[in-house]
Amino acid sequence: MPKVLVQFAHPAFSRSRVHRVLLKNCKQLEGVTVNDLYEQYPDLYIDVKREQELLLSHDILVLQHPFYWYSGPAIIKQWLDLVLEYNWAYGPKGYALLGKKMINAITCGSGHHAYTSEGHHQFPVSQFLLPFRQTALLCRMDYMPPFIVYGTHRMQQDAIEEEGLVYADILSGLASGRIRPEHYGGLEIINSLGHGAMS
Ligand SMILES: Cc1cc2nc3c(=O)[nH]c(=O)nc-3n(C[C@H](O)[C@H](O)[C@H](O)COP(=O)(O)O)c2cc1C
């Protein structure tokens, strides 16, 4: 069965509404490991060996975090910079992550319309996520459609709980092998598989 590694990063988790629910749900899932980066490395000194071993022992890498300045919180960048080493993750001497999968799981304060050509942010989130997508491709990983929760600023608790159920269903579907590329290939966001996805 594919093993799922959730690399979680939230610098203000005590104030979180959405990731609190997403994380609570996925912590209990079989085949899913949660690695809380700010909890592990509050000073940003990342244990590269530990992180590389975690990657090697999993098949699907989930980068779960709030969308911050059209990207991720600082520790996500620090993790990418340090862990995806030359001649380990890419380069003439090796592609350690070859054939593994990567997916972004993000929450956006703004609604979907803000990420259109008429909206406040002008471009779709998929364009802001291009550095992640291309990082995966450079490491010869498969980049999956992202999980995106839009409009968190105005979200009611019941809608947050619903997103939490969808997220948990998708992660458990991936970890059980029920959700496969033919199910999500071509989707804009993997959320479209919905609650009860492939169960
Ligand atoms: C420093 C910072 C930067 C942010 N940048 C963005 C952004 O670029 N786009 C966006 O839609 N929301 C942005 N937000 C809003 C967060 O994404 C939103 O508050 C978060 O997803 C809510 O999740 P939570 O309840 O788990 O904290 C930003 C928030 C902060 C604090």
Side-chain angles (χ1 to χ4, degrees):
M1 289 300 162
K3 291 182 71 186
V4 176
L5 174 63
V6 176
Q7 294 288 33
F8 174 67
H10 197 314
F13 188 57
S14 60
R15 294 199 297 274
S16 163
R17 294 170 64 232
V18 185
H19 285 277
R20 174 173 305 285
V21 172
L22 300 184
L23 199 70
K24 173 181 67 135
N25 289 8
C26 70
K27 268 186 171 163
Q28 303 150 6
L29 301 174
E30 204 180 319
V32 177
T33 308
V34 175
N35 189 34
D36 184 334
L37 291 172
Y38 277 107
E39 191 178 80
Q40 282 287 332
Y41 311 113
D43 52 10
L44 267 65
Y45 281 100
I46 290 178
D47 181 343
V48 172
K49 197 94 209 116
R50 174 183 182 273
E51 294 299 315
Q52 290 181 343
E53 278 163 12
L54 270 175
L55 285 174
L56 291 177
S57 60
H58 291 79
D59 307 287
I60 302 175
L61 165 64
V62 182
L63 297 177
Q64 182 191 330
H65 54 80
F67 207 37
Y68 273 11
W69 288 111
Y70 309 108
S71 182
I75 204 166
I76 288 287
K77 184 64 166 58
Q78 174 85 336
W79 183 89
L80 290 167
D81 292 352
L82 298 184
V83 178
L84 302 185
E85 284 178 320
Y86 180 61
N87 278 334
W88 185 80
Y90 68 101
K93 294 203 180 138
Y95 284 88
L97 307 176
L98 175 84
K100 294 183 189 285
K101 296 180 170 50
M102 185 200 279
I103 175 170
N104 290 106
I106 61 168
T107 59
C108 301
S110 301
H112 183 267
H113 179 75
Y115 288 98
T116 62
S117 51
E118 304 83 48
H120 191 56
H121 303 302
Q122 297 195 56
F123 303 98
V125 172
S126 58
Q127 291 209 24
F128 294 113
L129 292 177
L130 277 175
F132 292 101
R133 182 191 185 115
Q134 184 55 25
T135 297
L137 298 185
L138 190 84
C139 297
R140 302 193 180 165
M141 303 173 80
D142 299 323
Y143 183 77
M144 296 169 57
F147 177 87
I148 305 178
V149 179
Y150 288 103
T152 60
H153 287 326
R154 290 160 188 244
M155 230 169 164
Q156 303 292 323
Q157 194 59 30
D158 55 346
I160 295 175
E161 297 289 342
E162 179 61 24
E163 294 290 355
L165 295 176
V166 174
Y167 187 55
D169 280 350
I170 287 169
L171 291 186
S172 70
L174 291 171
S176 68
R178 282 197 319 277
I179 300 181
R180 295 187 298 280
E182 60 266 34
H183 302 125
Y184 57 76
L187 293 180
E188 189 190 325
I189 54 172
I190 202 164
N191 313 46
S192 329
L193 292 177
H195 179 27
M198 320 303 301
S199 58

